[in-house]
Amino acid sequence: MKNLLFIIIIQICFSSEKFNTPWGECSLENKNTSITTDILKEIILKKINKLNSIYGNIKNKPFTIIIVSKAHKANPINFPHWNRSLGITYNNIDKILIKDKGFAHITQSRFNQVIDHELNHLFINRIDYRKTIPRWFKEGFAMWYAN
């Protein structure tokens, strides 16, 4: 319930820009971050096209990516893994939260790896047999893919 409340609050506080991708409409929420929305859209489309070229297309449905800046409190979702994570993907609502590179104190290259990793989770979560894929495999595959 706390996570759902956080998501509603985040959606109210962030400006959202929607754009089409091969995976469906993406709502990109990016406010007060160190990277522009146009650059983020370019990165996301490039990563999705790369995944599609390697593994094929997946189900087409809307998803959301939220870039969390340091303007928000340190643990905005009150989720135990958030403090040691750079990103989290929610599979039942197709939503990705990623810490802004300025907030996480990481390079652009590392930020791109986090986007790769989280998009890979979204990809795997849309596979029909995802419930039979062990969690350790999903995490390992996302880590391997993001290098």
Side-chain angles (χ1 to χ4, degrees):
M1 185 65 169
K2 287 181 183 178
N3 288 344
L4 182 59
L5 181 60
F6 162 74
I7 290 167
I8 292 168
I9 291 169
I10 285 292
Q11 287 177 336
I12 292 169
C13 295
F14 281 76
S15 60
S16 178
E17 184 167 327
K18 296 179 186 231
F19 63 102
N20 290 321
T21 76
W23 292 359
E25 185 179 66
C26 176
S27 292
L28 179 59
E29 300 173 10
N30 180 43
K31 184 177 179 186
N32 299 323
T33 66
S34 60
I35 189 165
T36 68
T37 298
D38 287 338
I39 291 173
L40 278 169
K41 286 171 32 178
E42 186 179 312
I43 292 168
I44 292 163
L45 284 169
K46 183 178 176 182
K47 304 290 184 187
I48 287 174
N49 287 329
K50 180 181 173 188
L51 273 164
N52 279 354
S53 72
I54 297 170
Y55 302 111
N57 293 326
I58 57 171
K59 292 177 187 173
N60 189 308
K61 62 182 188 173
F63 63 100
T64 301
I65 298 177
I66 301 171
I67 308 300
V68 180
S69 73
K70 58 177 137 182
H72 300 90
K73 63 182 188 176
N75 191 351
I77 58 176
N78 199 22
F79 188 69
H81 300 344
W82 182 250
N83 291 331
R84 62 180 186 269
S85 296
L86 297 174
I88 296 173
T89 299
Y90 293 93
N91 66 354
N92 58 345
I93 54 175
D94 282 348
K95 189 169 294 237
I96 296 173
L97 299 173
I98 298 176
K99 287 180 182 172
D100 174 55
K101 65 181 187 168
F103 177 34
H105 305 291
I106 57 175
T107 64
Q108 182 65 46
S109 175
R110 180 70 176 122
F111 182 80
N112 291 352
Q113 286 179 318
V114 175
I115 291 175
D116 264 342
H117 182 96
E118 299 306 329
L119 285 173
N120 189 281
H121 280 306
L122 187 67
F123 180 89
I124 290 174
N125 289 338
R126 289 191 180 176
I127 297 172
D128 287 335
Y129 299 104
R130 69 176 165 83
K131 291 182 181 170
T132 61
I133 300 172
R135 184 180 170 134
W136 61 265
F137 178 82
K138 291 184 217 180
E139 192 60 37
F141 184 66
M143 289 176 73
W144 171 81
Y145 179 77
N147 196 20

